[in-house]
Amino acid sequence: MTSTDHHPIYQTRLLPKVLCAVLLGLATIGYFNRYPQVLSAGPELLANPNFLDGLSHWSWSRDGVLAFKQADEATRSPTDASVSAVSNTPRSGIALSSDMGDKIISINQSLPPSAPGTLLQLSATLKVENVVKGPLDWEIARIVLVAYDHSGKPRYDRPHVLASLFGTSDWTQHQRVFQVSPDTTSLQVSAQLVHSRGRFLVTGLNLHAVQLNPEFARYRSVLFAAWLALGFWIGWPFVMNRLNTPSNRLVLLATFGILAGVLMPESLKEILGETLWPAAALAPHGDHAEFVQTFNLDFSIPIIDIYKLGHFTMFALLAWAIGASNRFRPISASRFFLMSLFATSSEILQLFIPSRGPQLGDIFIDCIGIVFGLAISALCGLLFYRRGNI
């Protein structure tokens, strides 16, 4: 950004683009989070899914499993009344509890596979009380749908986790769509408390076939076209005005680098990460292949890995380059807002990319990178000022 940024004509031309970006972002989040992306295509596949008949049709570990009804005094707590606040929550469920954390407490139900390619939606309403994680990341309270192949081997390398919880949290509803792979011979739904202490409560555990909503796909294409048009409207003059100095070209390079990372499919991102940092191959791959894309509006800091560090670094570089293009003068609040809006928009665009998971925590990391880049820019400005170069 140059000194012309403060010219009233520039601000007048920029304001409609900013408003369009904000409105389109809100519309995109609302659409992906509210419009039905899948339609029910089959009956309930689990027997006794809501535990109305206790543990009938389920297998379970010897200790630590208790079927309950909401009115049971033995399992009620002062917050259990909140079950009724969750829509369609059954009044019965199961509780998994452990005082030592030295066992795997679980309930399981096996069922024959659906046809290859079938989409299955698993849902549950869950609550955890004082759950302490085990030594490994997966030793936690969780719900899984595991596929078994012809040799009877569980395929944990494929998407299988509905929810992983620890600590204490009130009743929340979770759902996810999984696809049946060609070599699947059986499926197993399981609620687990794995080498963890605490109590894990489960109600409303359901599994049924679904199909993608064709109307959602059509309107999604319209939204994506709107983002492309907005990008061209904003980007073309930006590109034309950013080729005159090395610092401006660095701004352009950082911008394109961020967009390339945003629009990269998850599988390609992991390959690139392992190529640049081979140690990343030692970490387990994420549980990807999402068929229902939503923007996670819960503010929680994601696990910091090489990919999050890449986010931080690219936005720090962008902020520093913008400071350099302005000869390291102080950055105005409006410019920080524009960079934050770009970070937010780039996160929203991940809704259109298979297996990407946009969330507020990622925007927070991007903004921390912006602040860091601006701090380095201010330090450079101070050094240049002292040397009399500004």
Side-chain angles (χ1 to χ4, degrees), residues 68-77 80-81 83 90-93:
F68 71 88
K69 295 186 180 298
Q70 186 182 351
D72 288 350
E73 294 296 333
T75 59
R76 288 184 65 183
S77 69
D80 276 349
V83 176
R91 300 179 65 87
S92 57

Side-chain angles (χ1 to χ4, degrees), residues 343-360:
T344 303
S345 299
S346 68
E347 197 69 22
I348 293 173
L349 284 174
Q350 293 187 31
L351 288 168
F352 298 96
I353 308 303
S355 303
R356 301 303 292 269
Q359 54 184 318
L360 289 178

